[in-house]
Amino acid sequence: GGGGGGGGGTGGGFCFVGETLVTMPDSTYKRIDEIRVGDIVKSEIGTSKVKKVNIHSGEHEIYALNDSKYFVTKEHPFKTENGWKAINPHETWEYHGIESNILAEGDVLIKNGTTELLHSTFKCDTTVDTVYSLILDNERVYYVYDYLVHNAEELGKGEAPGQQGPE
């Protein structure tokens, strides 16, 4: 099947389903669809402030890692012991200019205070119509389901700063 759809350079890609849990500084979790501009999230070294919540409508294929729920689009990069990796690194580069390698079985994923060996990725047989990503103020990384992920680049400048879509 041929992919299709996509970001058009406006932050499309790099996305998570609404129920995806983001790690907060006090080690609690908040659904990404409940994160608001100004919220503070846990970063790799410290914390980051949410500058924008991107909400992308359309038809999105989603994937699961190991025994997780289906939660991530194929171009979102995950930090591993060997750098940034994605299910589809070509699209990671195409949509946001972030170099990554292919995420494969045997990679060691960086998690919040630990690591996890990747033994499988699964594509969901249905799509979702809304996905979310965060734009942060400093470190540009945050944790979802305790996996360390990169925040989206802002290549398209057509939206007002701080826009977070409908409440």
Side-chain angles (χ1 to χ4, degrees), residues 127-155:
T127 59
V128 297
D129 59 7
T130 306
V131 291
Y132 301 79
S133 61
L134 304 179
I135 304 299
L136 305 175
D137 68 345
N138 59 11
E139 283 185 58
R140 309 209 33 164
V141 295
Y142 58 105
Y143 292 93
V144 299
Y145 292 122
D146 283 331
Y147 296 109
L148 187 59
V149 298
H150 205 285
N151 93 214
E153 293 271 352
E154 281 286 81
L155 295 183

